[in-house]
Amino acid sequence: MKKFYLISLIFVLFFVGCRKERSRIEETPPMSEQAVEKITITETENGKLKMILESESAAIDEKNEIAVLKLPRVKFYEDGKYASLFVSESAKINLSTYDVEGIGKCAITTAKNERLQTTNMKYNAKKQMISSAEPVKITRAQETVYGDSFEADTKLENIIIRRQRVILERNN
């Protein structure tokens, strides 16, 4: 019987001594990014439409509180009535402040058929103002205004254009 225990002990020690170092399986850190396709978000205030956002896709980074949208379209409403449409190649939205940064070509078309075109436009949600440090073109019924940069409300009623040049069109 002693021989059996001795052989068993040698057998166990052999396998314990020859054991390879265990490979460690590291836990994958939790993903802070989510992807959503064909997204639509509607915002209302006191039962009236305020905004409708549509996008081909959105990548949401919860850790940094940012959503990156591809081909976003945002319809703005004032007192439930259509005010303007914002379109961009892509956009970043700060999920805590709701500020929006349009990246690439950006355009706003108002209910009065006025059109603003620029690149890399920003929307400040607290002030409800849009701006860009890039060249801008604003087209209205009988005039086209060009400038180096701008700041305006979303209805394009109050606009500040830096270094502007105006082209007036006559109807004959």
Side-chain angles (χ1 to χ4, degrees):
M1 200 64 157
K2 284 184 176 182
K3 200 174 195 181
F4 175 73
Y5 287 123
L6 184 60
I7 293 174
S8 296
L9 182 61
I10 293 172
F11 188 76
V12 169
L13 289 175
F14 177 78
F15 279 105
V16 171
C18 294
R19 183 173 70 176
K20 292 183 180 177
E21 189 176 313
R22 286 188 179 194
S23 60
R24 293 184 181 182
I25 300 174
E26 294 184 21
E27 187 175 318
T28 306
M31 297 273 300
S32 64
E33 195 167 291
Q34 301 174 13
V36 181
E37 290 189 28
K38 302 286 184 184
I39 186 172
T40 301
I41 298 172
T42 303
E43 181 183 2
T44 59
E45 187 176 273
N46 298 325
K48 294 182 180 180
L49 260 165
K50 189 172 180 182
M51 177 197 72
I52 297 175
L53 179 141
E54 298 172 329
S55 180
E56 289 296 312
S57 65
I60 302 165
D61 183 348
E62 292 177 14
K63 182 179 178 186
N64 295 315
E65 296 183 329
I66 292 175
V68 179
L69 308 176
K70 181 180 176 185
L71 300 173
R73 295 172 48 91
V74 183
K75 292 179 184 176
F76 292 100
Y77 294 83
E78 191 169 290
D79 295 325
K81 295 180 182 178
Y82 173 75
S84 61
L85 170 68
F86 166 76
V87 180
S88 179
E89 291 178 4
S90 65
K92 287 183 184 178
I93 299 176
N94 183 317
L95 299 175
S96 60
T97 64
Y98 300 109
D99 290 346
V100 179
E101 181 181 348
I103 302 166
K105 293 180 182 178
C106 302
I108 289 188
T109 306
T110 68
K112 297 177 184 175
N113 206 25
E114 298 170 332
R115 184 170 173 86
L116 179 143
Q117 296 171 285
T118 189
T119 55
N120 304 328
M121 184 166 40
K122 295 181 181 181
Y123 170 70
N124 183 313
K126 188 175 182 178
K127 295 179 182 178
Q128 295 188 344
M129 298 290 285
I130 55 174
S131 64
S132 178
E134 303 292 329
V136 62
K137 175 183 175 183
I138 299 173
T139 308
R140 293 185 167 156
Q142 295 183 355
E143 68 180 7
T144 303
V145 181
Y146 296 89
D148 287 347
S149 60
F150 83 98
E151 184 175 21
D153 61 2
T154 57
K155 292 179 7 179
L156 302 182
E157 290 180 347
N158 300 306
I159 305 172
I160 298 171
I161 300 173
R162 290 163 194 87
R163 296 191 58 179
Q164 63 179 298
R165 160 177 131 237
V166 180
I167 298 173
L168 301 173
E169 297 177 20
R170 289 188 183 181
N171 286 340
N172 292 332

